[in-house]
Amino acid sequence: MCDTTIEHALHSGRQRFVILGMSDAPHPYFMPEAVEAIARGRVFSGGLRHREIVHTLLPQGAEWIDITVPLDDVFEQYRAHEEIVVFASGDPLFFGFANTVMNRLPDAEVVVFPAFNSLQMLAHAMRLPYHDMRIVSLTGRPWHEFDRALIERTPKIGLLTDREHTPATIARRMLDYGYTDYTMSVGTQMGNPKEQKLDTLSLREATEREFGRPNCVILTTNNRNMPYRAPMGLSETDFMPLDGRVKMITKKPFRLVSLSCLDLHHASSFWDVGFCTGSVSIEAKLNFPHLHVAAFEIRPEGAALMQENSRRFGAPGIDCRIGDFLDADVTDLMPPDAVFIGGHGGKLVEIIAKVHRSMTAGGLLVFNSVSEESRALFLAAIEACGMKLLSSMRLMADANNPIDVLQARKQD
């Protein structure tokens, strides 16, 4: 970082943050400009671990603000100061605190001095080129992006972990869903010359180990068949059926047409109402792994069916909800861009009304009608909601009765 950048930050008239990346080494290296910022500083901030390492570098009378949750309290303390020097792990712009500052205080002046991040140091310890590594942060985040990386058969994945998403829990999730052809490398206390440790082991071995903290993970595979793409059209005979009733599943031809009508390439959130065996949800998740999928089923046995079938096909991350959809609290879910109604229990009109209230403007709704009565109910329900019927396709497979695939859109 050049001196002119720091001088600009000092005289801009805005609140200023000088954010210094550092390793866990007892005596971390700081660039000369960063050392000057420390010497000039009066208010400092960072985690407890950072304070333990750098406290001897701080000028006499320095004030320290601990970075702890909730962050609202931290930023409230920041308001009282014009300039704050912040210590952060690794590269503060790599899933780091600099991003938090810029998001919360977009008008603040931010100067960053990066260090190597933990995944870079782990890759160096492994002598592993990492320019093609896919990075996923599980630190305080859900599994979604990791699940997506697995479904897309990403050959090299770097993971930032936390106390919930440990190497052992990561390995168990991978084994549960059949992603067995990876090797796990775990880096512990990267950058600390005395405590740094590298373990490379199988997923099965990782499930039986506890690792020190902080740690990070790199997953690699030599499988030459990667990247894999899910086949369009999973065979219904491969699913575990409901109570042995093999006909209680959306047949492949109707499933594929329905999915095409949902335009899931452009959707972020998809709801499957009345999922039964989970075939539509699973097919959607495998072919559109970016999707947030929520699946609803009133029958209690649906939970075990979804668990078994999603594991058979390697489709982690489907949010399975058991109970009457009309009573379900959906406020914690992303509003759906696309909804498939696979079962309605005689409450089609009410279900469509709730779907309409929840979905985004322009969202698509698809329903497979097996009778003239259900077709009429669907048309009446979407008319009452002000939705537009886009298409109606009558299909028949083998000796089964014809089915109308009905597609409607919520008006902007």
Side-chain angles (χ1 to χ4, degrees), residues 213-248:
R213 290 190 47 78
N215 60 61
C216 58
V217 169
I218 292 179
L219 298 167
T220 55
T221 180
N222 293 320
N223 189 335
R224 296 183 179 181
N225 293 325
M226 294 193 174
Y228 169 82
R229 293 293 178 263
M232 283 292 289
L234 301 173
S235 173
E236 48 262 26
T237 59
D238 292 334
F239 286 84
M240 175 182 283
L242 175 67
D243 298 330
R245 299 151 66 187
V246 294
K247 292 187 177 182
M248 291 293 289

Side-chain angles (χ1 to χ4, degrees), residues 261 375 378 388-393 405-408:
C261 290
R375 174 186 172 87
F378 179 87
K388 180 181 180 182
L389 180 69
L390 296 183
S391 67
S392 174
M393 290 176 278
V405 180
L406 304 170
Q407 178 198 42

Side-chain angles (χ1 to χ4, degrees), residues 198-391:
L198 166 62
D199 292 284
T200 297
L201 61 174
S202 70
L203 296 179
R204 186 66 62 189
E205 291 170 329
T207 64
E208 301 169 353
R209 290 276 301 274
E210 291 187 8
F211 298 89
R213 290 190 47 78
N215 60 61
C216 58
V217 169
I218 292 179
L219 298 167
T220 55
T221 180
N222 293 320
N223 189 335
R224 296 183 179 181
N225 293 325
M226 294 193 174
Y228 169 82
R229 293 293 178 263
M232 283 292 289
L234 301 173
S235 173
E236 48 262 26
T237 59
D238 292 334
F239 286 84
M240 175 182 283
L242 175 67
D243 298 330
R245 299 151 66 187
V246 294
K247 292 187 177 182
M248 291 293 289
I249 184 172
T250 304
K251 298 294 186 294
K252 179 164 60 175
F254 310 128
R255 191 188 323 137
L256 293 179
V257 171
S258 297
L259 289 171
S260 71
C261 290
L262 289 163
D263 193 23
L264 297 178
H265 288 286
H266 299 102
S268 297
S269 175
F270 167 59
W271 289 3
D272 180 7
V273 180
F275 67 74
C276 192
T277 61
S279 64
V280 173
S281 290
I282 291 169
E283 185 101 51
K285 187 69 176 177
L286 290 178
N287 284 283
F288 308 96
H290 70 282
L291 276 180
H292 293 266
V293 179
F296 304 84
E297 175 58 51
I298 195 170
R299 288 170 286 223
E301 55 267 41
L305 275 176
M306 179 63 82
Q307 183 180 58
E308 171 63 24
N309 286 325
S310 61
R311 279 163 170 72
R312 284 189 182 189
F313 291 98
I318 296 173
D319 187 347
C320 175
R321 304 202 172 192
I322 301 300
D324 192 330
F325 174 73
L326 295 176
D327 297 329
D329 181 4
V330 297
T331 56
D332 63 320
L333 295 173
M334 291 178 61
D337 309 295
V339 178
F340 176 76
I341 299 178
H344 55 86
K347 300 178 181 178
L348 181 60
V349 173
E350 296 88 342
I351 289 173
I352 290 175
K354 182 171 182 175
V355 164
H356 180 265
R357 290 193 300 271
S358 302
M359 72 191 320
T360 59
L364 294 171
L365 171 65
V366 171
F367 172 64
N368 290 349
S369 171
V370 298
S371 68
E372 288 301 323
E373 179 185 8
S374 62
R375 174 186 172 87
L377 284 173
F378 179 87
L379 296 177
I382 63 169
E383 183 179 5
C385 294
M387 300 182 75
K388 180 181 180 182
L389 180 69
L390 296 183
S391 67

